[in-house]
Amino acid sequence: MERTVATLKERIRAGSAKIPAEKVIRGGMLVNVMSSEIYPADIAVYKDMIAAVGDVEPYIGPDTEVIDATGKYLVPGLIDGHIHSECSKLSITSYAKAVVPHGTTSMISGLDEYISVSNLEGLQEIFAEIKQSPLKVFWGAPYKTPYTVPQSTVSFNFNKDVHEMVQKWPECYGVWETVTEFVQEEDEDTLGAIAEAYKNNLPVFGCAPMARGTKLNGYLCSGVRLDHESYDHEEVVEKMRKGMHMLIRESCVTHFLAENIRAVTEVNPAFARRVSFCTDDVTATDILSKGHLDHVVRLAIQAGVDPMTAIQMATINSAEAYRIDHLVGSICPGRIADILFVDNLEEFTVAKVMTNGQMVAENHHISYELKAPARSPIFKGQLKCKMTTKEDFEYKVPIQNGKAKVLSMDVKGPFVRKRRDVELKVVNGVIQPDTQQDAIMVSVLERFGKNGNKSLAFCSGWKLKNGAMASTCAPDDNNLVVMGSSAEDMSIAVNHLIEQGGGQVVVENGKVIEFLPLPVGGIVSDEEPEVIAELEKKIDEAARRIGSDLPNPMMYMFFLPITAIPDYALTDVGPVDYCALTTYDPVLELVEE
């Protein structure tokens, strides 16, 4: 319900038992995250609002629906404190089908991947989709787009002038993922977004991997409130001692909970009240096999956190960190009726889910028909790339034959790339990739029809023996990323994605052996989560068939354009040295023979 004078009167009357509740939940055990108590209590629900908790007899009218919760614990809906749902390759509707049955009823997101491939008109379409979804999205306006240094190419640039407008939108709850380097370098658009947030009394969300000491102090002096990016528990401790709310990230590729929860279990239990959870990047496969935030709650309990504290981390702590605790995060009068029916707190098995006062899921499945909206041309457009040839992916140098010493980006986990110097052959003026040395080609192509940029560099760690793989789902800018040991296969992979309007593809010996279509903006699909999970399995198997032994080869590859984490990255403007915040020449030395 909107907050108008008329609806406020209605809400007050419902809370005062002057209007009967539409639903009453009886017989359950309330998990009160506000008081850290568990006790028998009934719940009265009016429309999308919790009207009363405790004795709800006065709220029952002749048409009130009674829901039996005998034997169940009643837990607030879980809140994902930082998520790029687009990286799951699931649209908002499909993503809701995956996570809501596991108890995630709210998420905080910048929806920045959608913005990068559309514009504010496209963003409004996503807002409309969210309103029809059982999953709430508390949107933070991205501090800027793109997030890259130097600036890569996206469809729409989010800057300080845009912030002056969008921070006044009712959908805006803060400034999203303000990266350390942009504050440190005193970027005008970033500081403009923060200054506007001060005017509008909005919180500033952070992204400060490995920030310590004076760097962290300077960052905090800009006004950033919270952070989701710590690489060890000592980093968590320093940030919390300096006043930050901390989100512990447990994604499908970065498993940080076991390490970071030590700040609570080994250093200071009092930290627990300002620690919450996020998943950041997940896949349909992981959600369907492990769960979502319910899985994170279970991991925390297994790490030694008591169930009440773990549930608080997944609910009220996040709500308070983001200043939305008047809406979600607890089962209290006046809050939105997001309620989980949980069988066992230790095992944290979510049996049923209520969102916005409606029962929407049971036994890990949405219990009603939920359809994605019709997609406008904004999200159905084709990639604006020129078709390629193998020559586009040959690294040409000014010697005919000899040797080239090159800097290869060596993957050390999904985000961190380190320097690796490799000596490669030069044949007929072209540097030859070498699978024996695990040194192959990688390229990013601008796909929005802005400038036709195409970068070329070297990478290691994927261990491809032949073939190529490519993706148009590739944050932070969602340009087309391709890597391979064969320039011809790289060209075939790229051309297939251009022809199909986006997706992920694996090519071997001149043939497409697996393809995952992503027709919505080239980044997500409206298919059922089970369908995408099956396609993910096939695309990963195909990547392993051509040699990769990484746990998630495609996701490791599509993170290459992220420049915000040490040491190297690749965007459409070229290979990037994170430490120098500039592009670099990957050819270090040439020796002609």
Side-chain angles (χ1 to χ4, degrees), residues 267-286:
V267 179
N268 186 355
F271 285 150
R273 197 60 181 85
R274 283 176 33 254
V275 169
S276 50
F277 297 138
C278 74
T279 62
D280 206 353
D281 307 297
V282 292
T283 63
T285 301
D286 258 36

Side-chain angles (χ1 to χ4, degrees), residues 143-144 147-149 177-188 190-191 207-211 215 219 563-566 577-581:
Y143 71 99
K144 69 180 295 178
Y147 299 163
T148 46
V149 180
E177 199 166 12
T178 311
V179 173
T180 325
E181 281 63 43
F182 288 86
V183 173
Q184 188 178 15
E185 296 299 311
E186 300 178 7
D187 175 74
E188 289 290 322
T190 304
L191 299 188
C207 176
M210 302 180 226
K215 182 178 181 180
Y219 183 62
T563 65
I565 300 174
D577 181 334
Y578 162 90
C579 299
L581 299 178

Side-chain angles (χ1 to χ4, degrees), residues 165-359:
M165 174 177 57
V166 302
Q167 286 192 26
K168 296 177 175 62
W169 289 359
E171 294 90 352
C172 186
Y173 286 85
V175 176
W176 167 261
E177 199 166 12
T178 311
V179 173
T180 325
E181 281 63 43
F182 288 86
V183 173
Q184 188 178 15
E185 296 299 311
E186 300 178 7
D187 175 74
E188 289 290 322
D189 282 322
T190 304
L191 299 188
I194 295 173
E196 193 65 23
Y198 271 96
K199 292 180 189 176
N200 294 307
N201 198 28
L202 291 173
V204 180
F205 318 151
C207 176
M210 302 180 226
R212 307 287 295 270
T214 57
K215 182 178 181 180
L216 176 60
N217 293 339
Y219 183 62
L220 288 171
C221 286
S222 72
V224 175
R225 177 176 175 83
L226 52 86
D227 180 45
H228 73 284
E229 193 99 44
S230 293
Y231 277 61
D232 60 49
H233 78 281
E234 293 176 347
E235 185 180 342
V236 173
V237 168
E238 180 177 354
K239 288 174 177 175
M240 295 199 75
R241 284 174 174 167
K242 291 180 175 178
M244 298 190 90
H245 290 264
M246 289 306 305
L247 283 72
I248 290 179
R249 178 173 69 186
E250 182 70 17
S251 79
C252 67
V253 291
T254 49
H255 305 290
F256 285 177
L257 185 139
E259 167 60 26
N260 287 350
I261 202 71
R262 293 173 61 195
V264 173
T265 58
E266 296 179 16
V267 179
N268 186 355
F271 285 150
R273 197 60 181 85
R274 283 176 33 254
V275 169
S276 50
F277 297 138
C278 74
T279 62
D280 206 353
D281 307 297
V282 292
T283 63
T285 301
D286 258 36
I287 296 168
L288 296 179
S289 62
K290 299 178 183 177
H292 190 235
L293 282 177
D294 56 332
H295 171 60
V296 181
V297 170
R298 288 190 288 271
L299 289 178
I301 292 170
Q302 292 165 15
V305 177
D306 72 85
M308 172 61 79
T309 302
I311 292 167
Q312 287 173 322
M313 289 175 173
T315 57
I316 189 61
N317 291 11
S318 195
E320 290 179 348
Y322 284 99
R323 297 181 184 168
I324 54 175
D325 52 303
H326 61 300
L327 298 172
V328 293
S330 63
I331 299 176
C332 296
R335 272 60 165 194
I336 297 170
D338 292 346
I339 301 168
L340 312 183
F341 295 65
V342 176
D343 288 330
N344 179 297
L345 293 188
E346 291 280 350
E347 298 174 1
F348 204 77
T349 305
V350 179
K352 297 180 181 181
V353 180
M354 171 184 281
T355 67
N356 305 315
Q358 303 295 320
M359 299 300 296

Side-chain angles (χ1 to χ4, degrees), residues 267-581:
V267 179
N268 186 355
F271 285 150
R273 197 60 181 85
R274 283 176 33 254
V275 169
S276 50
F277 297 138
C278 74
T279 62
D280 206 353
D281 307 297
V282 292
T283 63
T285 301
D286 258 36
I287 296 168
L288 296 179
S289 62
K290 299 178 183 177
H292 190 235
L293 282 177
D294 56 332
H295 171 60
V296 181
V297 170
R298 288 190 288 271
L299 289 178
I301 292 170
Q302 292 165 15
V305 177
D306 72 85
M308 172 61 79
T309 302
I311 292 167
Q312 287 173 322
M313 289 175 173
T315 57
I316 189 61
N317 291 11
S318 195
E320 290 179 348
Y322 284 99
R323 297 181 184 168
I324 54 175
D325 52 303
H326 61 300
L327 298 172
V328 293
S330 63
I331 299 176
C332 296
R335 272 60 165 194
I336 297 170
D338 292 346
I339 301 168
L340 312 183
F341 295 65
V342 176
D343 288 330
N344 179 297
L345 293 188
E346 291 280 350
E347 298 174 1
F348 204 77
T349 305
V350 179
K352 297 180 181 181
V353 180
M354 171 184 281
T355 67
N356 305 315
Q358 303 295 320
M359 299 300 296
V360 298
E362 186 172 359
N363 297 324
H364 293 162
H365 288 89
I366 291 288
S367 54
Y368 70 103
E369 187 176 16
L370 177 60
K371 291 184 176 181
R375 300 296 175 183
S376 80
I378 291 174
F379 287 112
K380 291 171 69 175
Q382 298 298 301
L383 308 188
K384 297 175 182 177
C385 296
K386 292 180 179 179
M387 298 294 278
T388 66
T389 66
K390 70 182 183 68
E391 285 75 19
D392 288 304
F393 304 103
E394 294 178 340
Y395 205 109
K396 300 175 178 65
V397 290
I399 64 171
Q400 275 301 297
N401 297 287
K403 295 179 180 178
K405 183 178 180 182
V406 304
L407 190 163
S408 182
M409 295 178 288
D410 192 13
V411 66
K412 301 294 185 183
F415 297 114
V416 177
R417 277 84 56 170
K418 295 295 184 181
R419 174 172 175 163
R420 178 171 177 247
D421 292 356
V422 184
E423 188 174 85
L424 300 175
K425 292 180 180 178
V426 177
V427 179
N428 296 326
V430 176
I431 299 177
Q432 304 295 305
D434 187 343
T435 58
Q436 295 300 312
Q437 294 192 74
D438 184 24
I440 59 173
M441 303 304 305
V442 62
S443 177
V444 175
L445 291 80
E446 184 271 319
R447 68 155 171 119
F448 304 109
K450 300 271 185 168
N451 50 42
N453 283 350
K454 179 180 68 65
S455 62
L456 200 56
F458 304 89
C459 66
S460 300
W462 279 265
K463 300 180 182 177
L464 299 191
K465 300 303 180 187
N466 55 70
M469 57 187 195
S471 175
T472 55
C473 172
D476 288 319
D477 48 30
N478 292 290
N479 282 308
L480 200 164
V481 183
V482 58
M483 69 166 51
S485 62
S486 158
E488 185 172 358
D489 283 349
M490 290 172 73
S491 177
I492 291 169
V494 167
N495 291 345
H496 188 77
L497 294 186
I498 294 171
E499 291 169 345
Q500 298 298 321
Q504 297 181 337
V505 66
V506 177
V507 172
E508 182 183 31
N509 298 326
K511 294 182 180 180
V512 172
I513 61 172
E514 201 57 63
F515 174 55
L516 193 165
L518 297 173
V520 183
I523 57 173
V524 298
S525 170
D526 287 323
E527 287 282 3
E528 295 294 318
E530 291 80 6
V531 172
I532 296 301
E534 185 61 28
L535 289 171
E536 284 176 342
K537 178 182 177 182
K538 290 179 178 179
I539 206 94
D540 280 346
E541 287 175 350
R544 293 188 183 98
R545 174 173 155 178
I546 62 173
S548 182
D549 62 358
L550 291 173
N552 198 319
M554 192 66 72
M555 187 170 266
Y556 274 54
M557 180 189 72
F558 76 53
F559 284 145
L560 272 170
I562 296 176
T563 65
I565 300 174
D567 286 347
Y568 298 96
L570 182 72
T571 72
D572 68 295
V573 300
V576 176
D577 181 334
Y578 162 90
C579 299
L581 299 178

